[in-house]
């Protein structure tokens, strides 16, 4: 990943942001390091750049949001991946979460249903030399059947129900981290412990834009 568009000002702001994430309970050193290194300001809407290192979600195009840094760190920690793992992200959006996964040297597959955001994030990945195995303009509910199974699936929009079709694209031992609910969601982690058996864990309340069916 090219980081030469960075500046000492942003580096300082990111350090402070990461200290805040640590105080909020993020422990994984690799995850903290990734948030310390990836320039979030390059994924923000131009008018909001000065807010890049606040621990808040912000509007991007098409009425969508760039996730809050805490949420990005939390979900990235929850998927429990290591270098080389195959990770599918649903909801590319700005591409910031994708860049964090790529920085961690996971094999990243990402899907976005909104054409404007898909085009914009594709350009960002190209300009910053962010390595992504596949980025698709498609309905994320369908996953990427040709590239399945995955070690992990990270869903960055709120689903009303458990997306069974996606869950079945996990390897045995694989994990899916997903917010489920209406106005407020609960973060779930489903671990495929056997072919037809999933362990379910809950990790508190979050607020995401909705996962929408179709392109
Ligand atoms: N990870 C992103 C989050 C963006 S918000 C970031 O940090 O920038 C959630 C994204 O999910 C939006 O871009 C929205 O268009 C997308 N989305 C919603 N439903 C989808 C679906 N069915 N398939 C793929 N993407 C979807």
């Amino acid at each position: 990943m090219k980081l030469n568009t960075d500046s000492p000002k942003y580096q300082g702001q990111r350090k402070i942001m990461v200290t805040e994430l640590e105080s909020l309970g993020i422990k994984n050193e690799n995850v903290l390091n990734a948030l310390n290194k990836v320039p979030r300001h390059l994924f923000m809407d131009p008018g909001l750049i000065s807010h890049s290192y606040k621990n808040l979600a912000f509007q991007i195009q098409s009425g969508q949001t760039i996730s809050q840094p805490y949420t990005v760190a939390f979900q990235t920690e929850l998927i429990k991946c290591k270098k080389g793992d195959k990770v599918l992200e649903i909801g590319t959006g700005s591409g910031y979460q994708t860049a964090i996964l790529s920085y961690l040297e996971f094999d990243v597959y990402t899907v976005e249903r909104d054409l404007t955001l898909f085009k914009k994030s594709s350009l960002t990945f190209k300009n910053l030399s962010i390595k992504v195995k596949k980025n698709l303009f498609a309905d994320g509910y369908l996953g990427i059947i040709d590239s399945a199974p995955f070690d992990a699936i990270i869903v960055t929009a709120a689903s009303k129900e458990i997306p069974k079709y996606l869950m079945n694209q996990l390897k045995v031992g694989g994990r899916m981290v997903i917010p489920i609910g209406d106005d407020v969601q609960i973060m779930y982690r489903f671990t495929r412990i056997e072919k037809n058996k999933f362990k379910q864990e809950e990790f508190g309340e979050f607020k995401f834009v909705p996962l929408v069916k179709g392109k």
Side-chain angles (χ1 to χ4, degrees), residues 129-147:
S129 305
I130 291 169
K131 283 201 199 104
V132 177
K133 284 271 169 190
K134 243 182 221 173
N135 61 322
L136 285 186
F137 169 55
D139 179 5
Y141 268 107
L142 303 176
I144 310 182
I145 195 76
D146 296 343
S147 305

Side-chain angles (χ1 to χ4, degrees), residues 88-90 109-112 134 136-148 150 153 155 163 165-169:
L88 171 64
E89 177 194 28
I90 307 301
Y109 298 75
T110 184
V111 183
E112 173 57 57
K134 243 182 221 173
L136 285 186
F137 169 55
D139 179 5
Y141 268 107
L142 303 176
I144 310 182
I145 195 76
D146 296 343
S147 305
F150 299 95
I153 300 176
V155 182
Y165 189 76
L166 260 185
M167 240 157 81
N168 282 317
Q169 295 186 19

Side-chain angles (χ1 to χ4, degrees), residues 60 64-67 89-97 111-114 117 138-141 156-157 209-212:
I60 49 176
Q64 303 302 318
T65 53
I66 177 168
S67 298
E89 177 194 28
I90 307 301
T92 318
S94 67
Y96 177 60
Q97 169 78 74
V111 183
E112 173 57 57
R113 69 176 287 279
D114 180 278
L117 292 173
D139 179 5
Y141 268 107
T156 69
V209 292
L211 195 63
V212 182

Side-chain angles (χ1 to χ4, degrees), residues 10 36 96 106 143 151 156 194 197:
Y10 291 130
N36 195 20
Y96 177 60
F106 305 154
D151 293 290
T156 69
E194 289 168 24
K197 200 169 169 194

Side-chain angles (χ1 to χ4, degrees), residues 174-188:
R175 289 103 22 225
M176 177 166 82
V177 170
I178 177 170
I180 301 181
D182 287 320
D183 289 347
V184 176
Q185 304 92 38
I186 304 289
M187 189 71 77
Y188 285 89

